[in-house]
Amino acid sequence: MAEGEFLIPPLRPGAHVAVIAPAGPPKPGRLEPVEGWLHERGYEASLLPSCFGPPPLDFLAAPDEVRIADLHQAFAHPGYDAVLALRGGSGCIRLLDGLDLDWLAASRRLLIGYSDITVLHALRTRAGIPSLHGPMPASDWGLPGAEADTDALFERLASGWRRGDLVGRAAPHPLSHGASARGRLIGGNLAMFCALLGTPYLPEVDGALLFIEDISEEPYRVDRMLSQLRLAGVLGRIAGLVVGSFSGAESPDAVLADHLPRLRCPVLAGWPSGHGQPNRPLPLGVMADMDVTAGTLTLA
């Protein structure tokens, strides 16, 4: 692919976005504004049945069969141009063995979301299709302090992502080390990425740039998950590690400071994506150059 060609094409004005709830249910008052928010940004919106329940368990937005059907419809219906997850939470991993992976792989429609949506990003990455780790309506849009993240998401949706584009920049961080690396960006939420270990749904890790972030995970659990990645051989096979925010619990900085310097690959820490703010959009499933000294990721 030549320099400047689109890796993720723009989402043009008037594009039709399918909104799905493959994980947890929205909190009260967080579903009703979604269609209007998308209209304000110049897009058409369809909220699929999973957004409306009923939740069979209090942490699931809708029954498994409804969420599976919505995923199939969102990626197969010719009228949709992008697929937006309503929120994360829990539940996507329950769906994986019920999905028609060939059907999903036949569609290059952009998937947008983060958190529990990490397991769906893994499917797109395995199929060689880019996706977007970015803010979701029921989790982020319209909340105080999240305006810049939401604006950044829609600006990049409108412009698309080209080879050679600067993805973003991290401020200098004491845990960053090494020089540079090139690889395919994979990962997302650390807990969900670890949950894929030992399943057939884990993306290829050899030579990849692994991005990790998390929320509400105490330091001992972050230690356990990083140890699991090490023992599974993942940390010895990646080309580089990109570390986003860890929020909502006691800081795991001491744990990260114990693990990360032992990695032989370059580490770029302090990346502005994750459950905290900022949560800038990050393309996954695409090749990128990581420059630790400059603190940058650039699409390759």
Side-chain angles (χ1 to χ4, degrees):
M1 181 176 288
E3 183 81 14
E5 291 185 19
F6 282 112
L7 296 174
I8 300 177
L11 196 61
R12 304 295 185 185
H16 198 156
V17 179
V19 183
I20 59 173
K27 293 182 179 179
R30 296 298 296 169
L31 178 62
E32 293 78 8
V34 173
E35 189 172 2
W37 283 333
L38 284 164
H39 286 169
E40 289 173 6
R41 300 286 183 163
Y43 299 118
E44 296 298 318
S46 290
L47 274 61
L48 272 58
S50 57
C51 296
F52 302 98
L57 298 169
D58 59 7
F59 57 86
L60 298 177
D64 292 352
E65 58 270 20
V66 174
R67 292 179 293 130
I68 288 171
D70 276 7
L71 277 162
H72 287 155
Q73 180 181 355
F75 283 104
H77 192 287
Y80 299 137
D81 300 296
V83 181
L84 173 65
L86 182 64
R87 60 155 293 184
S90 183
C92 286
I93 201 165
R94 292 168 56 104
L95 310 180
L96 295 186
D97 58 352
L99 294 172
D100 187 325
L101 301 186
D102 291 335
W103 197 358
L104 295 185
S107 170
R108 297 193 66 84
R109 206 159 290 160
L110 184 65
L111 170 67
I112 306 159
Y114 71 105
S115 187
D116 199 61
I117 312 305
T118 295
V119 300
L120 302 181
H121 287 310
L123 298 184
R124 305 302 278 165
T125 298
R126 285 179 56 85
I129 302 170
S131 58
L132 195 59
H133 181 285
M136 298 177 290
S139 301
D140 307 278
W141 300 5
L143 295 181
E147 298 89 349
D149 295 328
T150 307
D151 288 344
L153 170 64
F154 281 101
E155 287 168 6
R156 292 316 304 250
L157 288 176
S159 66
W161 300 82
R162 297 178 184 267
R163 184 180 179 188
D165 279 357
L166 180 70
V167 176
R169 189 182 303 273
H173 195 284
L175 293 179
S176 294
H177 67 78
S180 62
R182 170 177 285 196
R184 191 170 305 280
L185 277 165
I186 66 172
N189 180 259
L190 175 60
M192 297 317 304
F193 190 82
C194 285
L196 293 174
L197 292 171
T199 75
Y201 308 104
L202 186 75
E204 178 59 61
V205 300
D206 288 332
L209 299 179
L210 174 61
F211 167 69
I212 59 171
E213 62 81 35
D214 222 317
I215 185 172
S216 299
E217 296 288 0
E218 296 296 334
Y220 75 91
R221 292 193 292 216
V222 175
D223 176 72
R224 182 179 62 212
M225 288 185 284
L226 290 175
S227 297
Q228 184 182 8
L229 290 179
R230 175 178 59 83
L231 294 170
V234 171
L235 296 182
R237 293 157 58 192
I238 58 175
L241 183 69
V242 183
V243 183
S245 64
F246 283 75
S247 57
E250 182 184 344
S251 171
D253 282 354
V255 168
L256 295 172
D258 180 60
H259 280 267
L260 301 189
R262 289 185 271 161
L263 298 183
R264 291 177 290 179
C265 67
V267 173
L268 178 56
W271 190 260
S273 298
H275 282 75
Q277 295 171 359
N279 184 18
R280 296 296 196 260
L282 175 68
L284 297 173
V286 293
M287 294 294 293
D289 289 316
M290 180 175 82
D291 185 329
V292 176
T293 302
T296 58
L297 287 172
T298 305
L299 296 187

